[in-house]
Amino acid sequence: MMVKLTLNPDTKICCYQDYTTQKASIFRASIKYQYLNALPINPSLKKFRVSCSIKQRETENAEEKRRILKGIKVNDELEQKGLLEAEIGEKKVGFDWNWPPWKNLPQRYKLIGTTSLAFIICNMDKVNLSIAIIPMSHEFGWNSSVAGLVQSSFFWGYALSQLPGGWLAKVFGGRKVLEVGVLAWSLATVLVPILAGFMPGLILSRILVGIGEGVSPSAATDLIARTIPIEERSRAVSFVFGGLSVGSVLGLLLAPPLIQSYGWESVFNIFGFLGITWFVGFQFVKEDQHPFNGELLSWPKFDSWSNSWNSSLEELGDSFTDVPWKAFFKSKAVWAMIYVHFCGSWGHYTCLSWLPTYFSDKLNLNLTEAAWVSVLPPLASVLVTTAASQFADNLISKGVETTVVRKICQTIAFLSPATCMILSSLDLGLSPWEVVIILTSGLALSSFALSGLYCTHQDISPEYASILLGITNTIGAVPGIVGVALTGYLLDSTHSWGMSLFAPSIFFYLTGTMVWLALASSKPQTFSKSD
């Protein structure tokens, strides 16, 4: 029989465990706890362990235990309630096959992975209309202005939900907000084919999709800020938000064959069902109770599920008034993020909505071919995102100031597409496919923003990161409303893609770069209501 003695000097509790081998793969264990005040305790000593042999068989038993315990796993755990309670019982032992592969991953990585999957589905439900709008326009007789209005309706809900989404993520926690958002936009996506023949109903359904997707960035930002250390943050943000590019690729690839085989209604039904499936599966993913610094979360978090309805409303109102709104708008860094987010969104949303139509018109491609070409920018963005995040994190780990790193990445993200759009707009005698390559390169490099702007909210204030993103993303959603519809109007008026699609984006990319270099900062800031 062997005895293992463990002494915890912080609690002054002694634990000794004895066990007797009975079979090659089964042993019986008992664990006992008691206070041990007789020994002097050194405060700097965290824990020591003493093992002794009762039958003077140290060497033989040690070798035997190593042989028995190799490849087996004890499947029981101790609970801690106040003082440690003794749990005596027989341990179940089984072979650890390490399946599924993500079984032993830290809990925060599992949470980040499933959040990225939600963002993949998010953009699949966003870009499906940019493909389906072509056969829908033919079926319902819509011109470019009406098509632009239908596509922009998504951003009405998206803009309205940004600030509430950031506040709700701060109060309820990002996980709960993300769950509700995914379920809401998925159900609304399924409603699109039902309401398509009724314009107000169609617009309302797309607004609901926008509301559901609008709360997701703030929810994800809350999760990342609370669980990921700064030296991993660029990669975490890029991995989660990079799911948007993957979703664009999958949506643009899957939508044309689905439409051709089963009709345009199929993309809304199938993509909506994917979101509902994600919602069910996410219930089995646990949230890590300990953040990266090993301490329990101390940020205010509203527990709506354990309070009465009246007290819940009261706490909800208090949490809103506790947010230092005035302090946010006194910060130059916050204003820089607001304008830069607006500028980046103008180029992103207008291209996301109109590139399939642009390629179809410019290259005389059919629906499937135009969709395949439209896949190239988001596909290239996936590769650039990975390289950009590694680039940013490596610079930070080598001691480069975080503000400098964010400015470098965001400058690349803006000047690259601006340059490529200028080249595409000029009459340089370029072939259509050369224009495709140039635009793909520029739009792919804009993904450097994930290691620039999109990390800055968490850099300056992890506690209020979700609310700050809600503020900037509210303004950033305006181009989705105005820019997408305005592009369709200008296209009808000028019949020029350069004037309608590229010229406004170039202007905002260049001015956004100047504002970012002048005012942006990633230094942590303390926001308080007294400011």
Side-chain angles (χ1 to χ4, degrees):
M1 184 172 76
M2 294 291 294
V3 174
K4 182 176 289 184
L5 176 67
T6 303
L7 178 63
N8 190 328
D10 295 329
T11 59
K12 296 184 180 181
I13 295 179
C14 174
C15 164
Y16 59 92
Q17 174 177 332
D18 59 273
Y19 49 87
T20 304
T21 303
Q22 293 183 344
K23 293 183 181 181
S25 61
I26 300 177
F27 63 88
R28 189 178 303 277
S30 63
I31 302 172
K32 301 177 182 178
Y33 296 87
Q34 68 179 45
Y35 284 98
L36 188 63
N37 294 320
L39 294 178
I41 302 300
N42 184 349
S44 64
L45 183 62
K46 293 299 181 186
K47 185 178 287 188
F48 66 87
R49 184 171 292 172
V50 179
S51 297
C52 61
S53 173
I54 303 300
K55 295 183 179 181
Q56 304 299 318
R57 296 175 57 188
E58 296 88 341
T59 305
E60 295 179 9
N61 285 342
E63 292 296 329
E64 181 183 4
K65 292 303 171 188
R66 277 194 292 269
R67 185 171 59 256
I68 293 174
L69 294 178
K70 185 177 181 180
I72 64 177
K73 181 181 179 182
V74 178
N75 296 319
D76 209 358
E77 294 181 354
L78 295 176
E79 293 183 359
Q80 181 175 356
K81 297 180 180 179
L83 293 176
L84 292 174
E85 298 177 351
E87 179 182 321
I88 303 176
E90 189 171 12
K91 303 290 182 179
K92 297 181 180 180
V93 180
F95 288 94
D96 185 6
W97 298 104
N98 291 325
W99 186 261
W102 56 83
K103 180 178 181 181
N104 295 325
L105 282 176
Q107 203 62 37
R108 69 179 186 271
Y109 294 160
K110 296 178 183 178
L111 200 61
I112 293 301
T114 50
T115 303
S116 180
L117 181 59
F119 275 50
I120 292 175
I121 300 173
C122 172
N123 250 33
M124 290 177 68
D125 287 330
K126 186 184 296 182
V127 304
N128 56 8
L129 185 61
S130 65
I131 300 296
I133 196 68
I134 299 175
M136 291 174 72
S137 296
H138 293 159
E139 179 176 335
F140 297 107
W142 299 337
N143 58 23
S144 297
S145 297
V146 175
L149 176 65
V150 173
Q151 293 194 82
S152 68
S153 61
F154 165 89
F155 296 98
W156 302 353
Y158 193 79
L160 291 173
S161 61
Q162 290 302 312
L163 192 54
W167 170 56
L168 291 173
K170 173 68 170 59
V171 175
F172 290 94
R175 180 191 178 100
K176 291 294 182 183
V177 175
L178 182 64
E179 290 177 0
V180 175
V182 174
L183 183 62
W185 92 56
S186 300
L187 293 175
T189 297
V190 175
L191 290 176
V192 170
I194 301 174
L195 302 173
F198 179 57
M199 182 60 68
L202 175 61
I203 291 178
L204 178 61
S205 65
R206 291 301 293 178
I207 290 175
L208 293 177
V209 174
I211 291 175
E213 295 194 11
V215 302
S216 301
S218 296
T221 299
D222 175 77
L223 288 175
I224 295 171
R226 293 191 296 115
T227 58
I228 303 298
I230 190 169
E231 62 270 15
E232 298 179 8
R233 192 167 292 160
S234 296
R235 281 167 288 177
V237 172
S238 297
F239 187 74
V240 170
F241 285 85
L244 297 174
S245 296
V246 176
S248 296
V249 171
L250 292 178
L252 292 171
L253 287 177
L254 295 176
L258 287 174
I259 291 174
Q260 290 183 341
S261 300
Y262 306 104
W264 60 263
E265 299 88 348
S266 62
V267 296
F268 299 102
N269 293 326
I270 294 175
F271 292 0
F273 177 76
L274 289 177
I276 296 173
T277 303
W278 180 94
F279 172 82
V280 175
F282 194 60
Q283 308 307 310
F284 297 96
V285 179
K286 297 179 181 179
E287 184 172 358
D288 197 349
Q289 298 300 314
H290 299 274
F292 54 85
N293 61 1
E295 299 178 359
L296 289 174
L297 292 176
S298 59
W299 301 350
K301 188 175 179 181
F302 180 71
D303 186 7
S304 64
W305 319 115
S306 61
N307 295 333
S308 66
W309 178 250
N310 290 334
S311 62
S312 296
L313 291 177
E314 182 179 351
E315 290 189 33
L316 198 60
D318 291 342
S319 67
F320 183 82
T321 58
D322 288 340
V323 176
W325 302 103
K326 291 183 179 179
F328 293 154
F329 294 104
K330 290 182 179 180
S331 170
K332 293 181 179 179
V334 171
W335 281 109
M337 290 190 297
I338 290 173
Y339 184 69
V340 169
H341 205 142
F342 177 91
C343 295
S345 293
W346 188 286
H348 175 73
Y349 290 143
T350 54
C351 287
L352 184 68
S353 298
W354 286 103
L355 270 185
T357 307
Y358 167 77
F359 287 137
S360 177
D361 179 64
K362 195 76 173 179
L363 304 179
N364 295 319
L365 302 177
N366 60 32
L367 177 65
T368 302
E369 292 169 340
W372 275 91
V373 174
S374 300
V375 162
L376 296 178
L379 184 61
S381 295
V382 175
L383 302 177
V384 172
T385 295
T386 303
S389 61
Q390 292 286 350
F391 170 75
D393 282 344
N394 286 340
L395 288 179
I396 293 174
S397 63
K398 291 179 181 179
V400 180
E401 187 179 353
T402 306
T403 298
V404 175
V405 175
R406 304 305 184 209
K407 286 186 175 182
I408 292 174
C409 291
Q410 192 60 41
T411 300
I412 295 173
F414 273 8
L415 292 185
S416 299
T419 301
C420 292
M421 287 182 180
I422 291 173
L423 294 176
S424 301
S425 303
L426 297 176
D427 187 11
L428 301 177
L430 300 174
S431 68
W433 288 104
E434 288 175 330
V435 173
V436 170
I437 294 173
I438 292 174
L439 285 177
T440 297
S441 302
L443 294 175
L445 290 172
S446 68
S447 295
F448 265 84
L450 295 179
S451 297
L453 168 67
Y454 284 87
C455 288
T456 310
H457 308 79
Q458 300 147 53
D459 293 339
I460 67 174
S461 179
E463 181 177 1
Y464 294 108
S466 61
I467 295 180
L468 289 172
L469 183 63
I471 293 172
T472 65
N473 224 8
T474 298
I475 306 301
V478 173
I481 301 172
V482 178
V484 174
L486 181 62
T487 300
Y489 173 78
L490 291 176
L491 184 60
D492 280 339
S493 302
T494 65
H495 303 287
S496 168
W497 283 104
M499 291 299 297
S500 60
L501 182 60
F502 296 138
S505 297
I506 293 169
F507 170 80
F508 288 120
Y509 280 139
L510 295 179
T511 57
T513 300
M514 292 186 289
V515 170
W516 186 255
L517 292 176
L519 301 178
S521 174
S522 288
K523 294 181 179 179
Q525 300 187 24
T526 302
F527 297 106
S528 63
K529 295 187 67 176
S530 59
D531 293 343

